[in-house]
């Protein structure tokens, strides 16, 4: 398990340099907000802040502009690492005309990232500092650190259900088998903290659903859920999730004690983070104000439910598994195959619940955050489409808060389907996940780096990386060695 966590972590380290600076969803805006707070400013309200001109200038230095043009990077164009400017060297910190859309989100991720960045900067020798790309690189590693426990949390959740070791380890493999999750974990965005907190919340909610009516569990669930509510609007799934698991606990014999524990959890979550959304409702008249103006729909526009559903399912599937920019035109829909396999395993877990010795209600608790997040995405994306005529706001990363529970349920389902080969299940899952991860990294290498050829593109990655070449090469060699060690360990365990 620890080797698996290490492979997962090193894969994110490699992704943090493989994807060029700012080539991640809204990364520039997220970095800008972190720098704003690290500089001592207060958290802005919606519409009060624009992106810093420094941020836009730094994006131009890495071939990224606001028009969507993203130039592949060549090794010969990379400035020497010691000559790369700091943000402070990019001119005065004046606002641009681009809205800072992240002000619509709660502040916890930005406060945590800014505090961590400031603490590291304070440790550097006087007169030195991090270049702009090293700041982004450090914040990417901060996100990777938040995602690091995901395999272990899936493993522990499976153990809570007395899963066989092969099922628990297979559940832990799923995060590694989602290249887009690796990419998002190794980028600067508030999803990283939200996903980490929802993953942690899986353990106390599972305990509560299975009869734990203790005050400590309720306080932990409320605290973690409340912190999640201070990260992003998708955390609004938390109150429903908490209420549901404690009502289930009450129905299973917990009675008034479960109801009381549920009240403690919900009140704690509201006090820690729910107040932000109550404030929004009071101040803006809506739970989630928009950080960007929405263009009106074209004249005579009539929403097409069927066309939108086709778009939604296809786009959601692709962007759950991989960054669509890296897919060559006409690529086979392997994402649909992967989605089908996971869904089939989930169905098998519910159909064969007696064979895997689980209760359907416990499996449902594990999938509750995924279902809730999906419902929020559908509601929000449809509302945007109906209002503007443009289908967007659809991204698979919005579902990653349910990846721990999904991994456990899918692993149980795979075990139910392949019980005679159960001991080999973790090995097969790991080999497939590693192959998928390597393929995705190869596609990213082809998309973002030039000139053609593995050697030239690798040289470009190393030249533009914010960290010295030995560090990047060491991480790559470490990932390969640890992956081989993990395969050997899984083979040994399979034969035992």
């Amino acid at each position: 398990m620890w080797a698996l966590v290490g492979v997962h972590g090193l894969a994110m380290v490699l992704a943090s340099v493989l994807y060029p600076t700012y080539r991640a969803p809204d990364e520039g805006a997220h970095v800008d907000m972190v720098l704003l707070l690290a500089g001592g400013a207060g958290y802005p309200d919606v519409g009060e802040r624009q992106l810093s001109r420094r941020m836009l200038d730094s994006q131009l230095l890495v071939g990224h502009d606001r028009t969507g043009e993203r130039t592949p990077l060549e090794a010969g164009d990379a400035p020497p690492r010691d000559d790369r400017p700091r943000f402070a060297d990019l001119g005065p910190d004046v606002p641009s005309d681009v809205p800072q859309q992240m002000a619509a989100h709660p502040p916890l991720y930005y406060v945590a990232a800014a505090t961590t960045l400031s603490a590291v900067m304070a440790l550097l020798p006087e007169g030195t500092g991090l270049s702009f790309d090293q700041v982004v690189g450090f914040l990417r590693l901060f996100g990777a650190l938040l995602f690091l426990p995901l395999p272990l949390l899936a493993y522990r959740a499976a153990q809570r259900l007395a899963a066989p070791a092969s099922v628990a380890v297979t559940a832990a493999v799923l995060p590694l088998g989602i290249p887009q999750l690796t990419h998002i974990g190794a980028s600067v965005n508030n999803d990283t903290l939200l996903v980490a907190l929802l993953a942690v919340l899986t353990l106390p909610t599972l305990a509560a659903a299975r009869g734990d009516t203790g005050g400590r569990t309720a306080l932990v669930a409320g605290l973690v859920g409340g912190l999640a509510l201070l990260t992003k609007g998708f955390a609004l799934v938390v109150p429903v999730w908490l209420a549901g698991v404690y009502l289930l606990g009450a129905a299973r014999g917990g009675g008034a004690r479960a109801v009381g524990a549920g009240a403690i959890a919900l009140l704690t979550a509201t006090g820690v983070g729910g107040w932000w959304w109550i404030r929004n409702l009071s101040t803006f008249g809506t739970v989630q104000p928009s950080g960007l103006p929405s263009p009106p729909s074209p004249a005579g526009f009539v929403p097409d439910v069927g066309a939108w559903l086709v778009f939604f399912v296809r786009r959601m599937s692709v962007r759950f598994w991989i960054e669509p920019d890296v897919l060559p035109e006409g690529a086979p829909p392997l994402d649909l195959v992967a989605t089908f396999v996971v869904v089939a395993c989930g169905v098998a877990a519910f159909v064969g619940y007696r064979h895997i010795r689980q209760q359907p209600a416990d499996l449902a608790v594990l999938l509750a955050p995924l279902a809730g997040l999906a419902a929020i995405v559908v509601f929000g994306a449809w509302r945007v489409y109906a209002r503007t005529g443009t289908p967007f706001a659809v991204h698979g990363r919005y579902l990653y808060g349910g990846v721990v529970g999904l991994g456990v349920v899918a692993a149980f389902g795979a075990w139910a389907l392949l019980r005679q080969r159960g001991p080999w299940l973790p090995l097969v899952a790991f080999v497939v996940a590693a192959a998928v991860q390597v393929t995705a990294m190869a596609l990213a290498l082809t998309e973002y780096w030039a000139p053609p050829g593995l050697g030239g593109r690798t040289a470009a990655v190393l030249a533009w990386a914010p960290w010295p070449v030995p560090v990047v090469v060491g991480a790559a060699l470490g990932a390969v060695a640890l992956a081989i060690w993990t395969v050997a360990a899984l083979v040994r365990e399979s034969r035992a």
Side-chain angles (χ1 to χ4, degrees):
M1 265 308 304
W2 291 113
L4 182 59
V5 170
V7 174
H8 169 62
L10 287 173
M12 289 189 291
V13 171
L14 293 177
S16 75
V17 296
L18 180 61
Y19 290 84
T21 303
Y22 301 129
R23 307 290 174 96
D26 301 316
E27 190 166 47
H30 290 296
V31 173
D32 182 79
M33 185 64 83
V34 172
L35 294 176
L36 176 69
L37 299 189
Y43 198 74
D45 222 331
V46 178
E48 287 185 354
R49 172 78 181 180
Q50 290 76 42
L51 290 183
S52 167
R53 174 56 57 183
R54 289 177 179 174
M55 173 53 58
L56 301 186
D57 290 345
S58 72
Q59 290 179 331
L60 294 176
L61 294 176
V62 291
H64 183 294
D65 62 32
R66 300 294 297 182
T67 66
E69 292 295 328
R70 302 181 180 186
T71 308
L73 302 178
E74 298 187 28
D77 294 334
R81 201 163 280 107
D82 293 338
D83 294 341
R84 296 174 192 177
R86 298 173 299 175
F87 276 107
D89 300 327
L90 295 174
D93 185 14
V94 296
S96 67
D97 58 354
V98 180
Q100 173 46 282
Q101 68 198 73
M102 299 308 158
H105 294 294
L108 184 60
Y109 166 78
Y110 304 105
V111 172
T115 302
T116 304
L117 177 63
S118 298
V120 169
M121 298 288 277
L123 296 175
L124 298 176
E126 188 174 352
T128 65
L130 299 177
S131 61
F132 79 95
D133 61 326
Q134 288 178 332
V135 169
V136 177
F138 173 80
L139 292 174
R140 284 181 167 189
L141 295 179
F142 175 72
L145 184 64
L146 294 173
F147 265 26
L148 186 62
L150 292 182
L152 189 59
L153 290 168
Y155 181 79
R156 293 293 297 157
Q159 284 188 322
R160 290 280 178 94
L161 296 177
S166 59
V167 171
V169 176
T170 301
V173 170
L174 182 64
L176 183 65
I178 307 175
Q180 181 75 315
L181 183 145
T182 303
H183 171 40
I184 295 301
S187 60
V188 187
N189 62 81
N190 54 6
D191 289 287
T192 52
L193 183 56
L194 173 64
V195 171
L197 289 169
L198 292 182
V200 171
L201 186 57
T202 303
L203 297 181
T205 53
L206 188 58
R210 290 169 59 84
D212 186 342
T213 59
R216 177 184 294 182
T217 299
L219 285 172
V220 169
L223 174 61
V224 176
L227 293 174
L229 285 165
L230 283 178
T231 61
K232 201 163 185 172
F234 291 105
L236 290 170
V237 71
V238 166
V240 179
W241 191 13
L242 290 177
V245 297
Y246 277 102
L247 287 175
L248 177 60
R252 285 176 155 180
R257 285 180 57 84
V259 173
I264 292 173
L266 286 168
L267 288 173
T268 302
T270 302
V272 173
W275 60 268
W276 175 271
W277 307 101
I278 298 173
R279 163 199 172 267
N280 277 356
L281 192 59
S282 173
T283 304
F284 304 107
T286 180
V287 174
Q288 175 68 78
S290 176
L292 291 173
S294 298
S297 62
F301 168 73
V302 177
D304 186 331
V305 177
W308 180 83
L309 281 175
V310 171
F311 166 84
F312 180 89
V313 171
R314 186 71 181 95
R315 188 172 180 83
M316 200 71 176
S317 176
V318 170
R319 302 192 84 179
F320 181 88
W321 294 102
I322 195 169
E323 180 59 44
D325 288 347
V326 307
L327 292 175
E329 189 173 349
L334 295 180
D335 61 282
L336 292 178
V337 176
T339 300
F340 174 79
V341 170
V342 172
V343 170
C345 289
V347 171
F350 280 91
V351 172
Y353 71 93
R354 288 190 177 88
H355 296 297
I356 60 176
R357 299 178 183 177
Q358 299 299 321
Q359 294 297 318
D362 291 332
L363 301 177
V365 167
L366 289 170
L367 294 181
L370 184 72
L373 291 168
I376 293 174
V377 176
V378 170
F379 174 78
W382 171 259
R383 187 172 62 171
V384 168
Y385 168 64
R387 186 172 63 241
T388 68
T390 303
F392 63 97
V394 180
H395 203 304
R397 75 180 189 272
Y398 299 150
L399 303 184
Y400 290 158
V403 75
V404 164
L406 177 64
V408 175
V409 174
F412 269 119
W415 188 63
L417 291 171
L418 305 170
R419 280 191 301 159
Q420 300 303 318
R421 300 175 182 84
W424 293 94
L425 187 59
L427 175 62
V428 173
F430 180 77
V431 170
V432 171
V436 168
Q437 194 70 242
V438 170
T439 300
M441 289 187 173
L443 291 172
L445 190 67
T446 301
E447 171 66 21
Y448 294 121
W449 304 95
L454 177 61
R457 289 186 171 121
T458 302
V461 173
L462 296 175
W464 281 93
W467 316 117
V469 171
V471 174
V472 180
V473 172
L477 294 177
V480 172
L482 204 53
I484 293 173
W485 192 94
T486 304
V487 169
L490 290 172
V491 169
R492 184 174 62 251
E493 291 295 325
S494 299
R495 291 175 173 174

